[in-house]
Amino acid sequence: MRTRARIAAAAVGIAALVLPLAACAGGGAGASGDTVEIDFFHRWPNEPKNAYFAALVEEFEAENPDIKVNVESVLNDAYKDKVKVVAGSDNAPDVMFSWSGSFLNELVEGGAVMDLGPWLDENADVRDSFFESQMEPMSIDGVQYGLPLGMHSKLFFYNVDVFGELGLEAPTTWDEFLDVLDEIEKAGMTPIEYGAADQWTIAHYVGTLNQRVVDPEVFEGDQDPATGEFTDPGYVEALERFQELSSYMNQDMTAVTHEVARNAWIAGEAPIMYMQSAEVGYFGDAQFEYATFNFPSVDGGKGDPGQLTGAPEGFVVSETTQHPEEALRLLAFLVNKQNGMRYTEATGELSAVDGAVDEADVAPITKELAQGIVDATAMTTWLDNAYDPQIVQAYLTETQLMLNGQQTPAGVMKAVQDAAARVRAES
Amino acid sequence: MNTRARTFNVLYIAPALALIGLFVYYPLVSNVGYSFFRFSAGSGDMQFVGLENFTRLFTDPVIATALGNNTLYAVVSIVFQVIGGLVVAAWLTHLLGPRMGSFLRSVYFIPAVISMTVIALLFTFVFDARGGLLNAFLELIGLSGLQTAWLANVDTAMGAVISVSQWQSVGYVCMLYVVALQQIPVELYEAASLDGAGRVRQFWHVTVPQAKEMIFVAMILTVSGAFTVFNEPYILTRGGPGNTTQVLATYMYNQGFFQNQMGYASAIATLIFVITLVLSVIQLVSFRSGKD
């Protein structure tokens, strides 16, 4: 009966692959009369974004009666799998969501994404409406392939009430950070809440530590799959720092998902947690005041401590779209300033449109977070978006074992170097 | 048989053959072909790499882990489903009254009709590290020393995953046996008991030989199932922590769709196919099915 369960699973899988294809086929050929059908594919079947985009599309259709938009959405990991399969095909969705970094790179290499350059040259106002720093990650080798929807940053969120009681201040250096953690521990609390059952959370810690510790030139250089070696001793040191931090975290970290950890933080079980700016929207139940500090500098680290980890995400247009004009119209609508404000108000996430967050009706902390991103000396992209998936996989699984006490920092890097060697040989 | 009849026979089975050819044999063969290439799901670019994917199979430590896990899966499944299932079936059929027997039969069968996805999600609550049912139960009976993060502890994760499969599958295999045991003529048991055979001897000398065909079916089902298992480890642990609960199928999926190594994933698929084929043939030969 495991066989039957598998057959059922396979049937569902096939249906999942075939249905959107059928829907896409309708989009291409089934345009009736003067109406043009375009397909819009995003990764938020959950609320509040699902409803937000549904409303946006409805409004767009009302303004453009000649266009009908078919919306489809699946959640994160499934989205990654599915887009890789459909994006290169003739039935690719016209407008689709994309992360910046290696995900976008893969789509571009597969020839699935339209160069927006010529269109942006004609519509300079669209290009200029975004923060410049957020446009760059949505481009590859100077070619603009996508427009940013939201910008994201990773910060330590802390419980101001606890810090106040213990007379602590937000740390800026590693030593200050350790002092703070020691003090909290002395007061009988777990200092940092962490859920490492989701491997991407590991990418965020390690990616930031790598940037802080490793020589910037090496750090940049290793992002090139053709040359990346990961032999710099700084990588091992970064993992040792991570080990050091993990001794201040909840013991069951690898058994806990990020969401469970976040709820524990909101419930006040630990005063510090490393989270994304976009998560503020979930803090509704927090019974305490909270604030943020950037990842502290690391002694002897060669990277700029003013950098902030995070990257924008946005939308791209299919290279094979039958209706480029309509698709671009939808794209421009999705990320215009007014909708940027609405996006921030509806979801608590930070619009990448210049001024949108500032003018939006949101809590002061949201505006501070946006300002923090604008003020950062530079952005460090997520580790899982910076490297080839093979390297990412090795990095995350081995570091997860390290957190479990079953791998050493040097052992992790050995696995990463092996993966990097394979990637070099392939590119 | 004359030629005319033979032509007609071929015509009758042609549609079935065509369908099987298209949906079973064609993918099988083309998968083997794919395993000699390097390519990603997103692009049609295929690069011929010869046997590289296969040589990698032998040096990849995760493949060794996965094979070990699949083997453990097979061994535990044989003990619980093939052997345990038969014992339970004999108990249900011969020792319990018809009413109790059929009631319990249904109870044991219930897990088999629940979707594996639902079951796996259910068990994530059972095994949950914080306030999971199992840990709460251990606390209740005073064994809180045994509490652990079942799915995140390297030592317990695979066992936890395998136990879910046993829980679900025993009832199904048991049902297959019950059908077989009901076919056994009562006279055989009467004769055995006249000869002075007790319940245990009757089980060994009447039930087991008479149920041989069904034991064979159960063996094939559980062993090939153990080497192609995907749902349970994928939903419960995604192969983690690290790669400790990776089985061949989850690793294949991970390579193909996460790491973009479709060629290598095809090589792993080929390996799974070869293993299940070889094991099935071995069992076929050793049971000499249908020859008695």
Side-chain angles (χ1 to χ4, degrees):
Chain A
M1 119 283 7
R2 259 205 310 281
T3 322
R4 284 190 329 172
R6 215 167 23 254
I7 290 169
V12 171
I14 290 166
L17 286 171
V18 171
L19 288 178
L21 293 182
C24 294
S32 59
D34 294 324
T35 341
V36 168
E37 283 191 33
I38 56 177
D39 297 313
F40 171 37
F41 192 19
H42 65 71
R43 67 168 176 102
W44 300 289
N46 48 354
E47 301 303 339
K49 290 192 189 162
N50 186 31
Y52 170 74
F53 281 106
L56 219 58
V57 163
E58 210 169 287
E59 205 172 296
F60 177 76
E61 284 177 339
E63 278 177 32
N64 300 273
D66 55 328
I67 304 178
K68 179 169 181 333
V69 182
N70 304 313
V71 186
E72 221 226 313
S73 62
V74 289
L75 209 58
N76 303 337
D77 282 349
Y79 184 85
K80 281 185 193 171
D81 296 345
K82 215 159 143 184
V83 157
K84 281 177 194 170
V85 176
V86 296
S89 73
D90 294 338
N91 298 315
D94 301 277
V95 178
M96 53 197 152
F97 167 86
S98 173
W99 285 275
S100 52
S102 60
F103 185 85
L104 177 62
N105 200 21
E106 245 171 68
L107 290 182
V108 170
E109 274 179 0
V113 184
M114 183 197 277
D115 171 7
L116 300 179
W119 174 68
L120 287 171
D121 288 342
E122 281 170 35
N123 299 276
D125 53 321
V126 176
R127 185 197 296 264
D128 296 339
S129 67
F130 299 97
F131 288 117
E132 229 180 296
S133 65
Q134 304 300 309
M135 283 294 265
E136 199 273 329
M138 296 302 292
S139 69
I140 306 267
D141 298 331
V143 179
Q144 196 72 42
Y145 287 104
L147 293 181
L149 165 75
M151 42 191 195
H152 294 267
S153 61
K154 193 91 176 177
L155 295 150
F156 279 110
F157 282 78
Y158 68 97
N159 184 324
V160 175
D161 297 354
V162 172
F163 270 51
E165 277 167 37
L166 299 176
L168 299 173
E169 271 176 48
T172 55
T173 67
W174 194 257
D175 284 339
E176 286 175 22
F177 193 24
L178 294 187
D179 283 344
V180 164
L181 297 175
D182 280 330
E183 286 300 320
I184 297 170
E185 209 165 47
K186 261 185 235 160
M189 287 183 92
T190 302
I192 306 174
E193 192 69 39
Y194 184 38
D198 297 316
Q199 293 189 339
W200 55 264
T201 62
I202 296 170
H204 293 179
Y205 264 107
V206 177
T208 310
L209 276 161
N210 281 348
Q211 183 275 324
R212 292 286 195 273
V213 175
V214 179
D215 184 285
E217 245 171 68
V218 177
F219 184 70
E220 289 286 319
D222 281 340
Q223 296 195 10
D224 183 348
T227 58
E229 289 189 332
F230 297 88
T231 47
D232 191 285
Y235 289 110
V236 176
E237 200 204 319
L239 287 170
E240 285 165 358
R241 300 282 182 173
F242 191 24
Q243 261 184 332
E244 193 177 2
L245 275 192
S246 71
S247 66
Y248 293 99
M249 296 167 175
N250 43 302
Q251 286 300 300
D252 59 353
M253 66 188 102
T254 52
V256 178
T257 62
H258 180 74
E259 201 182 342
V260 169
R262 183 174 64 212
N263 288 335
W265 179 84
I266 292 171
E269 286 174 27
I272 304 173
M273 186 162 164
Y274 199 38
M275 284 182 284
Q276 263 164 266
S277 50
E279 292 176 62
V280 171
Y282 296 108
F283 296 171
D285 297 336
Q287 300 292 317
F288 51 85
E289 202 186 320
Y290 50 85
T292 63
F293 60 88
N294 191 1
F295 206 98
S297 66
V298 177
D299 304 330
K302 300 188 179 89
D304 171 12
Q307 282 202 23
L308 194 56
T309 296
E313 53 187 25
F315 298 112
V316 297
V317 174
S318 165
E319 173 69 23
T320 56
T321 174
Q322 305 275 318
H323 312 288
E325 201 263 327
E326 286 81 3
L328 288 166
R329 221 192 299 172
L330 174 64
L331 174 69
F333 177 80
L334 290 172
V335 293
N336 71 22
K337 183 169 178 181
Q338 196 213 338
N339 287 330
M341 287 165 61
R342 280 172 56 187
Y343 177 69
T344 302
E345 286 164 9
T347 67
E349 299 204 8
L350 312 171
S351 163
V353 178
D354 192 351
V357 177
D358 253 354
E359 290 168 41
D361 178 21
V362 288
I365 186 148
T366 305
K367 296 185 184 188
E368 281 167 32
L369 291 170
Q371 196 57 43
I373 293 172
V374 178
D375 291 344
T377 49
M379 298 301 284
T380 314
T381 190
W382 314 113
L383 180 146
D384 47 352
N385 280 343
Y387 306 129
D388 182 276
Q390 294 190 70
I391 296 174
V392 172
Q393 182 70 18
Y395 228 134
L396 302 189
T397 49
E398 297 302 319
T399 310
Q400 197 177 38
L401 280 183
M402 183 189 90
L403 292 174
N404 241 332
Q406 269 131 347
Q407 179 59 285
T408 62
V412 174
M413 289 322 296
K414 172 76 176 63
V416 173
Q417 286 157 9
D418 289 350
R422 258 201 318 277
V423 173
R424 280 201 308 279
E426 285 169 15
S427 55
Chain B
M1 201 173 0
N2 61 36
T3 336
R4 208 181 129 87
R6 201 169 290 164
T7 322
F8 264 108
N9 288 349
V10 171
L11 267 181
Y12 280 128
I13 59 169
L17 275 183
L19 282 175
I20 291 177
L22 184 62
F23 290 108
V24 178
Y25 294 106
Y26 169 70
L28 209 64
V29 172
S30 57
N31 175 68
V32 175
Y34 287 147
S35 57
F36 296 103
F37 290 87
R38 176 189 305 140
F39 63 108
S40 75
S43 76
D45 258 3
M46 290 174 72
Q47 199 187 342
F48 185 77
V49 293
L51 287 171
E52 192 190 286
N53 288 325
F54 288 99
T55 52
R56 200 177 146 194
L57 278 179
F58 293 100
T59 52
D60 190 339
V62 184
I63 291 287
T65 310
L67 264 177
N69 286 336
N70 281 118
T71 310
L72 184 66
Y73 230 110
V75 171
V76 176
S77 298
I78 289 172
V79 171
F80 278 86
Q81 296 174 35
V82 180
I83 302 173
L86 181 58
V87 174
V88 174
W91 177 62
L92 288 178
T93 330
H94 298 313
L95 292 186
L96 291 179
R99 230 183 238 183
M100 198 58 187
S102 63
F103 170 71
L104 284 180
R105 217 161 59 205
S106 312
V107 170
Y108 295 149
F109 191 70
I110 286 174
V113 297
I114 307 175
S115 148
M116 192 60 229
T117 318
V118 174
I119 289 175
L121 284 175
L122 189 80
F123 273 89
T124 55
F125 293 115
V126 172
F127 291 130
D128 195 55
R130 293 188 181 178
L133 286 176
L134 183 53
N135 279 347
F137 177 70
L138 288 173
E139 174 111 46
L140 188 76
I141 60 172
L143 289 175
S144 46
L146 292 179
Q147 287 179 337
T148 182
W150 296 96
L151 292 172
N153 183 333
V154 178
D155 299 322
T156 58
M158 199 62 221
V161 172
I162 292 177
S163 70
V164 175
S165 303
Q166 307 315 319
W167 178 83
Q168 194 207 15
S169 303
V170 166
Y172 179 77
V173 176
C174 187
M175 193 66 122
L176 292 180
Y177 281 134
V178 166
V179 174
L181 297 192
Q182 284 170 345
Q183 312 287 327
I184 302 176
V186 188
E187 292 82 17
L188 289 177
Y189 288 103
E190 286 168 354
S193 92
L194 278 179
D195 288 343
R199 289 286 184 195
V200 176
R201 279 188 78 103
Q202 284 182 25
F203 177 77
W204 283 111
H205 295 284
V206 180
T207 310
V208 172
Q210 288 294 317
K212 200 180 129 188
E213 288 293 313
M214 198 52 89
I215 296 175
F216 169 70
V217 170
M219 275 293 275
I220 293 275
L221 274 181
T222 50
V223 171
S224 54
F227 279 91
T228 52
V229 63
F230 176 80
N231 291 348
E232 294 92 324
Y234 183 74
I235 301 168
L236 287 166
T237 62
R238 303 232 158 189
N243 278 317
T244 43
T245 57
Q246 211 74 263
V247 291
L248 288 170
T250 54
Y251 192 53
M252 170 188 78
Y253 178 82
N254 180 296
Q255 283 289 342
F257 289 99
F258 187 78
Q259 305 197 43
N260 263 333
Q261 304 289 304
M262 284 309 239
Y264 188 43
S266 302
I268 299 173
T270 307
L271 175 70
I272 297 174
F273 171 65
V274 169
I275 290 174
T276 50
L277 184 71
V278 167
L279 287 175
S280 300
V281 169
I282 289 175
Q283 294 174 70
L284 204 66
V285 172
S286 61
F287 270 84
R288 289 183 297 122
S289 179
K291 293 241 174 82
D292 284 321

